[in-house]
Amino acid sequence: MKKSFYIVDDHEMLRLGTSLWLTSNSDWKCCGSSGTHESALADFERMAGEETNETEVNEKLPSILISDLNFYGENTGFEFISKIHSLYPDVKIIVYSMFFAAGIVQSAVRSGASGYVSKNANCTELLNCMEKVLAGELFIQEELQTNLKKYNNFTDALTRREKDVMELLIRRYSNDEIANQLGIKKRAVENYISLIYEKTGVNDRNELLARYG
């Protein structure tokens, strides 16, 4: 099975250092890297367009994409994950980020990620995640699983629409953006947010994000 990866991170030294460590300590090969979503998407489009045969396309594309979530001047990266997952479903996605609150982990998985590792983890944890994800498993760093289970138990008490609003709150969407995304009125969004605050026992958005996102 092909073992190649592409890494996206806006911190150049971290991006290059991670790539070098992985290739020096395993049989994985790096087929590219980028500091922005736009250039990563362009690279993937180029790789997919180099061949016309589907099998050959899959050989050009990496088997795994490793992506951060925090990008200067861009959204947090969930839309990027969703787009890669939609356009290139055979590419497994691993989030490697300094942000690891339960709501963010859950949102990343719902966006299409197959793995999630905190940058605070031991350097071998990312490599372990890559191996598990390549084998078809969903891998969440063990230290993140307890809070994720608690978060999932909590969100089970929300209605489906409240879950939708909650996820977009975690992604830092404004009320107007949530209304546009869900196709509902801004006043309805405000009502859903009030219900979420009541059920979570928080007073405002900052407190909600501090606790869950």
Side-chain angles (χ1 to χ4, degrees):
M1 187 177 295
K2 183 183 66 172
K3 301 176 76 171
S4 62
F5 67 91
Y6 185 104
I7 185 167
V8 187
D9 196 297
D10 61 344
H11 294 282
E12 183 179 17
M13 290 300 294
L14 190 148
R15 183 173 75 247
L16 297 177
T18 300
S19 177
L20 178 61
W21 189 91
L22 290 172
T23 54
S24 299
N25 291 275
S26 72
D27 55 350
W28 284 86
K29 295 182 179 180
C30 180
C31 64
S33 68
S34 176
T36 68
H37 297 151
E38 288 83 3
S39 57
L41 286 167
D43 281 349
F44 271 66
E45 184 177 358
R46 174 184 53 76
M47 286 186 283
E50 285 181 347
E51 306 289 349
T52 56
N53 180 279
E54 183 176 351
T55 300
E56 292 175 330
V57 167
N58 289 336
E59 286 301 314
K60 292 290 184 180
L61 289 169
S63 50
I64 284 181
L65 166 69
I66 301 170
S67 180
D68 195 2
L69 282 178
N70 184 34
F71 293 86
Y72 179 76
E74 299 183 32
N75 207 326
T76 46
F78 297 108
E79 293 81 4
F80 171 68
I81 293 172
S82 296
K83 192 165 188 177
I84 291 291
H85 182 64
S86 175
L87 293 173
Y88 312 103
D90 290 332
V91 177
K92 304 294 185 181
I93 303 169
I94 293 173
V95 173
Y96 186 45
S97 176
M98 63 180 290
F99 297 103
F100 48 85
I104 290 178
V105 176
Q106 179 64 285
S107 189
V109 172
R110 289 186 63 180
S111 297
S114 297
Y116 202 109
V117 177
S118 161
K119 287 181 178 177
N120 293 330
N122 185 286
C123 57
T124 59
E125 190 79 358
L126 178 59
L127 185 58
N128 183 36
C129 178
M130 293 167 68
E131 297 287 349
K132 297 292 187 181
V133 166
L134 184 65
E137 298 180 32
L138 173 66
F139 182 94
I140 306 297
Q141 182 184 334
E142 185 175 357
E143 289 79 4
L144 308 181
Q145 292 181 20
T146 299
N147 285 338
L148 182 58
K149 289 177 181 177
K150 290 179 180 178
Y151 179 80
N152 288 337
N153 290 336
F154 152 70
T155 55
D156 284 343
L158 299 180
T159 67
R160 184 171 183 174
R161 182 58 86 186
E162 288 167 356
K163 289 180 182 179
D164 293 338
V165 173
M166 178 74 168
E167 182 169 350
L168 295 178
L169 285 172
I170 295 297
R171 296 187 185 191
R172 273 66 173 176
Y173 277 46
S174 67
N175 289 5
D176 286 332
E177 289 171 332
I178 294 174
N180 291 334
Q181 181 75 15
L182 299 180
I184 59 179
K185 294 182 178 180
K186 183 178 179 180
R187 181 58 182 167
V189 172
E190 293 169 348
N191 289 337
Y192 284 124
I193 291 176
S194 295
L195 290 170
I196 291 170
Y197 287 171
E198 182 179 342
K199 291 182 178 181
T200 58
V202 302
N203 297 310
D204 56 35
R205 187 174 304 218
N206 288 336
E207 189 177 350
L208 182 80
L209 292 174
R211 184 177 300 183
Y212 298 108

